[in-house]
Each structure stands twice: as C-alpha cells, then as structure tokens.
Amino acid sequence: MVLPKAPLHGMKKWLQEYEHAHPSADDLQTEIDQFMAHFDSERKRKEKEALALQDQPDEDGFVTVQRRVNRRNVAHAGDITATAAAASTLKPKKEKVLTNFYAFQQREQKVKELTKLRRQFEEDKERIARMRESRRFRPY
C-alpha cells in the first residue's frame, strides 16, 4: 500500500515555493528566446498583411491611407552629408545660464533694479538743478 505524501511545512515548503517562483537562468533564457521568436514572426506577419492591404480598396471602394515609416539603414547612419555638416556648424548651441533661479533671488534683483533707478533719478534731478542754476537748461 502506497501512502500519500505529506504536505511540506516550514522551511522546506518555503524553499520549494522559492524554487518554483524563480526559474533557473537557462529555463528563463529559453522562454525569452521562444517569446522573442514568436514576437518577431508575428510582427513580420503583420507587416506583410499591412503591405498587402496597402493601396487596396476595401469593400466600399475606399482606399485606406496609412502612414509609412521610413526606417533608416543603421549601417549608414554615421555618414553625414556636407550640407548637414555645414548646417550643424552654423548654429552653435547657446549655454543657458540660470540667473535668479530662486524666488528670493528674483526679489533681490528687482530691489536692486529699483534702487538703481532711484539713484539715477536723483542724479538726473541734481544735474537738471545744476543746469537751471547755470541757465543753460532748455528742455524744448
């Protein structure tokens, strides 16, 4: 007579759950390879279907316009034409310098500008007063 296996308890149960939850690297790699092969074949099949249906009228006689993606050849991506090289040299990138990034810096800058304007105004008032005293002031 065969006795049924007793359920695992404690550490043995945890180890078994861990082993089932985390497959080995080889098993995982084979599963990934199978998935990617299936994904690639499915993508190629959909592209072939899209190319076959492209510019074909449907049952109502309308042609569905589809966006065509122009994929560049990666082998020639490093080649730069003379016009592209000249265009890249014409526009040098400007370096952004963040002045007055924080709010308190902006407030301080405004206060400095106001004090500068007030000082200039007072200097202009004094200069106009001196010109009046010398009677050379002719505003019009």
Side-chain angles (χ1 to χ4, degrees), residues 109-139:
Q109 183 66 27
K110 286 182 183 179
V111 168
K112 287 179 183 176
E113 289 176 7
L114 283 174
T115 55
K116 180 182 173 184
L117 286 173
R118 286 181 182 142
R119 184 176 44 79
Q120 286 178 348
F121 177 72
E122 292 298 325
E123 289 173 359
D124 289 344
K125 271 181 27 179
E126 290 174 8
R127 187 170 46 87
I128 290 173
R130 278 187 268 125
M131 290 174 83
R132 280 187 181 153
E133 287 174 6
S134 66
R135 296 184 189 260
R136 287 187 297 156
F137 179 70
R138 296 185 183 105

Side-chain angles (χ1 to χ4, degrees), residues 27 29 35 60 64 83 99 102 114-115 121 123 126 138:
D27 294 340
Q29 187 63 45
F35 175 81
D60 295 331
T64 304
T83 56
T99 56
Y102 296 103
L114 283 174
T115 55
F121 177 72
E123 289 173 359
E126 290 174 8
R138 296 185 183 105

Side-chain angles (χ1 to χ4, degrees), residues 3 6 15 54 65 84 90 95:
L3 295 174
L15 285 173
Q54 195 171 17
V65 179
L90 292 177
E95 291 185 17

Side-chain angles (χ1 to χ4, degrees), residues 38-53:
H38 175 69
F39 178 80
D40 290 338
S41 64
E42 198 63 28
R43 186 179 65 185
K44 287 179 183 177
R45 183 187 60 80
K46 287 181 181 179
E47 286 178 1
K48 286 180 183 178
E49 286 178 2
L51 285 174
L53 293 176

Side-chain angles (χ1 to χ4, degrees), residues 64-119:
T64 304
V65 179
Q66 296 177 353
R67 187 184 90 173
R68 295 181 183 172
V69 178
N70 294 332
R71 293 190 179 143
R72 291 178 36 185
N73 189 353
V74 179
H76 301 292
D79 297 341
I80 298 178
T81 62
T83 56
S88 65
T89 57
L90 292 177
K91 295 181 182 178
K93 291 186 178 181
K94 295 181 182 177
E95 291 185 17
K96 286 189 175 182
V97 178
L98 293 177
T99 56
N100 303 332
F101 181 75
Y102 296 103
F104 78 91
Q105 290 174 325
Q106 293 173 358
R107 284 192 301 270
E108 288 176 355
Q109 183 66 27
K110 286 182 183 179
V111 168
K112 287 179 183 176
E113 289 176 7
L114 283 174
T115 55
K116 180 182 173 184
L117 286 173
R118 286 181 182 142
R119 184 176 44 79

